Amino acid sequence: MNPLCHVIWLAGFAHLVAGNFFNNDPAPNCNEGNLDVQVFSGKHHGLLKLGKNPMDYLVDHLNESLDLESQLPFKAMRAVDRGHYTTWRPYANCITNIGYGAHMLSPFQQLMTLDDLAEELTEGKKVLDIGSGNGYFTALLAWCVGKTGKVIGIEHIPQLVQRATHNVVSGNPEFVKDGRIKFVLGDGRKGYADEAPYDIIHVGGSIEDIPEGLMAQVKPNGTLYISLADVGEDGYQHLLKIKKTVPRQKYRDMYLRSSYIAPLVDIDRQLGDDWTRYSIFPCL
């Protein structure tokens, strides 16, 4: 690693230990020029020169480490380069600070989520992504639903809505040209009625109860993907895939696994609280 970047990395780590990591300042970018890019994934790590496609390197090693039901997640991640969506260790397999009390889940977590939804994420589907942040996972969903599908990312931080739009234009402009992705400002806990109903609603944060307002925006036979907070005996959340059945419009839920992600909260609390406890897992 370049000595200057090594110093910057150590400074960033000290900032994290001090509890001030989740601020609104962009993280330093050591991935410029001809510097090495450190790539972490599964049990492997290595150094690649820029231009050697570190995204492929990351996905290859995650593919070796994970036993997923579908290859769809890996194909999507190869097509949507994380380097266009964050400058802070884009190819590291860990949770990434994106400012404003928000973060991007690790590649491992994102692949698992896509695998959970692989049967539903088919060509032409309509998806609502709640808590779209910097737009990366929204873009993965957009790749999965194809040119005839549509994904709406809703986010309540105006700066992140602007950043997500910029990131997609930079990284995957074809998604904007064919109209399959857009970002809107709003409280995702209420869904987005203007584009309802949806085949899939993905909730990118935990919530205490299954919100009836969101279920009302799910199509018959559609899916709500959500983490329910504080229901596990071990203090973890329960990750559920909830189906709206027909003809009686009842719900059928499937427990997937325990999870531990930040809750959906009001803007004031998000900007004022310390969310480092939701990024306790080390880079792998």
Side-chain angles (χ1 to χ4, degrees):
M1 180 183 291
N2 180 282
L4 176 60
C5 278
H6 187 68
V7 171
I8 295 175
W9 186 89
L10 288 175
F13 181 76
H15 206 42
L16 172 61
V17 173
N20 297 319
F21 185 73
F22 281 80
N23 55 34
N24 299 336
D25 299 325
N29 181 11
C30 289
N31 298 336
E32 297 177 352
N34 293 317
L35 301 179
D36 287 335
V37 179
Q38 193 162 11
V39 182
F40 296 83
S41 57
K43 299 178 181 178
H44 309 279
H45 69 277
L47 291 173
L48 287 177
K49 294 289 185 181
L50 281 179
K52 297 292 185 179
N53 204 337
M55 196 69 208
D56 279 344
Y57 183 89
L58 171 65
V59 175
D60 285 343
H61 283 289
L62 284 170
N63 201 353
E64 293 175 7
S65 304
L66 293 173
D67 183 21
L68 301 185
E69 295 290 331
S70 171
Q71 282 296 305
L72 177 74
F74 301 112
K75 293 178 181 178
M77 194 163 280
R78 287 188 196 280
V80 184
D81 193 320
R82 290 170 65 90
H84 292 289
Y85 292 81
T86 179
T87 58
W88 177 242
R89 304 178 72 191
Y91 307 110
N93 187 28
C94 55
I95 296 172
T96 304
N97 167 43
I98 59 173
Y100 306 99
H103 56 268
M104 178 169 66
L105 294 182
S106 69
F108 169 86
Q109 292 168 298
Q110 292 169 332
L111 288 170
M112 293 285 286
T113 300
L114 291 178
D115 193 54
D116 292 336
L117 293 170
E119 291 185 2
E120 291 84 3
L121 282 172
T122 55
E123 179 78 31
K125 290 297 180 67
K126 191 174 189 179
V127 183
L128 178 65
D129 182 28
I130 295 176
S132 49
N134 65 0
Y136 182 71
F137 191 74
T138 317
L140 290 175
L141 294 170
W143 185 90
C144 292
V145 300
K147 293 181 179 180
T148 61
K150 188 171 186 180
V151 182
I152 295 92
I154 185 167
E155 170 61 53
H156 66 171
I157 303 292
Q159 294 90 336
L160 290 180
V161 175
Q162 295 172 3
R163 187 187 302 174
T165 303
H166 169 81
N167 289 344
V168 173
V169 170
S170 172
N172 298 92
E174 68 277 14
F175 295 169
V176 178
K177 290 178 182 178
D178 58 30
R180 78 173 90 170
I181 193 169
K182 79 171 185 178
F183 297 96
V184 297
L185 180 66
D187 185 347
R189 294 172 296 183
K190 300 177 182 178
Y192 188 63
D194 289 358
E195 292 275 0
Y198 304 95
D199 296 291
I200 302 167
I201 295 181
H202 167 260
V203 184
S206 64
I207 199 164
E208 292 185 358
D209 298 302
I210 299 173
E212 291 296 324
L214 287 186
M215 288 304 305
Q217 295 181 28
V218 176
K219 290 181 181 180
N221 292 319
T223 301
L224 175 66
Y225 187 92
I226 191 170
S227 280
L228 293 185
D230 302 324
V231 294
E233 294 181 359
D234 55 3
Y236 283 80
Q237 303 149 2
H238 282 182
L239 183 61
L240 302 176
K241 188 162 74 168
I242 304 171
K243 288 279 191 179
K244 179 188 281 189
T245 60
V246 291
R248 297 185 179 181
Q249 302 291 293
K250 291 186 176 180
Y251 310 144
R252 177 169 52 86
D253 61 82
M254 177 190 301
Y255 170 75
L256 299 172
R257 57 186 169 274
S258 296
S259 63
Y260 194 61
I261 58 176
L264 297 179
V265 296
D266 295 333
I267 293 179
D268 290 344
R269 183 182 169 195
Q270 180 169 328
L271 296 179
D273 209 339
D274 175 16
W275 302 107
T276 55
R277 62 188 178 278
Y278 292 99
S279 60
I280 60 174
F281 303 106
C283 295
L284 301 175

